[in-house]
Amino acid sequence: MENRERRVGLLDESSQFINERLGIRTVEDLISHFPRAYYDRRDLVPVGKLPIGSNATFVATILAISMRRARRGQKIFTVAVGDETGVVNLVFFNQPYLEKYFKQGERVVVSGELGLYRDRRQIVSPEYEIIGGELTESLLHAGRIVPIYPLTAGISQRMMRKIVAAACEKCAGQIREILPDDLLRRFDVPPREEAFRQAHYPDTYETLEKARRRFKIEEVFFLHLLIKERRKNLTRKKQRPPVAAPHPLLERFLASLPFELTGAQRRVLDEIRADVEKGGLNRLLQGEVGSGKTVVALAATVLAIGKGYQAAFMAPTEILALQHHERSRELCEGLGIRMELLIGSTAKADKKRIHEQVNAGEIDLVIGTHAL
């Protein structure tokens, strides 16, 4: 996007709150601050046509405000709102502080169940949002799918919508596409500029979902590029020496197992073997619980140990480390692999001994937690 560093402060005098409290410093930061939810305010009904007992949403003007005390000392705050078709009372109990928020002549969006009390139409404890007096500005807050933003103290939804709408307008024609055309066509998602507009002010929930999907694809696409670049750099640097074939210790290990490896386990192990023979390994092994990931990982350590290298096997918890150590000793019995356990609760003297033996090359495989 051009003018990437243009300051948000150019958009609105209230933007200092956004800069300081939400960490938004550029226009791109602002339009990337996506809503957390949405109100569906497309079907607004005139006040006079609201049926009794219905849950409805409408826009009206604040006509009058009153506060009275009921017999039991309860404070009742009433706001009369209406349009050219009728009037409805909004009733709030024991919320006198609301008096400072409602101003005669301002417009308000109201949602709630319409009822009757003494032949007067009213809504008790409705949801509401005051949207001001300008009709053109009110169109940002009603008559459409309306965004609800993550906020901080000093910033209202009305303020944030106004600033974001101004930012989107200023960015028109300046947001460059960063995904290949064939990717957009394959996943049926909109161009970047249209996706930003639909994410903030969607025409329909279908266009909103397409915009969301587009940004998810964008995130995965660049994550994939980053991983490929890192893999290429690792390969280029040749950080790991090749572990040349043959691998007799590995073959002995596989032959001694009390079970046969599955086809998937053998395929993965062959891929690992091919990688290390080239001098590189950068893989994530994924599988269901109980699918045999541990034996594949242990086989990979045996592959390295068989060529004179040392190996470390790290687990996230001490219980898992203990289990892996016990199971590994069983599976490696008779192979002559020197193995130790190193975890946080290992005695200080034993830790020192293990460190010294590792440094001296007297341990082939050390299994443990982050204590490694």
Side-chain angles (χ1 to χ4, degrees), residues 38-40 42 145 202-210:
Y38 299 84
Y39 284 136
D40 191 347
R42 289 173 293 181
I145 299 174
D203 296 327
T204 65
Y205 279 107
E206 290 73 23
T207 60
L208 170 61
E209 183 54 37
K210 284 189 176 184

Side-chain angles (χ1 to χ4, degrees), residues 286-344:
Q286 181 176 327
E288 298 290 341
V289 175
S291 62
K293 299 183 294 295
T294 302
V295 72
V296 173
L298 182 60
T301 65
V302 172
L303 189 153
I305 292 167
K307 288 297 179 178
Y309 297 105
Q310 293 171 292
F313 193 131
M314 187 166 69
T317 66
E318 290 198 0
I319 292 175
L320 274 176
L322 284 163
Q323 291 174 348
H324 288 324
H325 181 253
E326 291 175 6
R327 186 61 173 153
S328 298
R329 291 184 75 89
E330 293 173 6
L331 295 178
C332 293
E333 188 176 4
L335 297 180
I337 294 177
R338 299 167 296 181
M339 192 181 306
E340 283 288 353
L341 175 69
L342 182 61
I343 56 180

Side-chain angles (χ1 to χ4, degrees), residues 234-254:
L234 287 172
T235 303
R236 189 183 300 123
K237 291 176 182 177
K238 293 286 184 182
Q239 292 179 326
R240 303 176 183 87
V243 181
H247 305 289
L249 185 64
L250 176 62
E251 298 305 329
R252 287 174 55 201
F253 170 74
L254 296 177

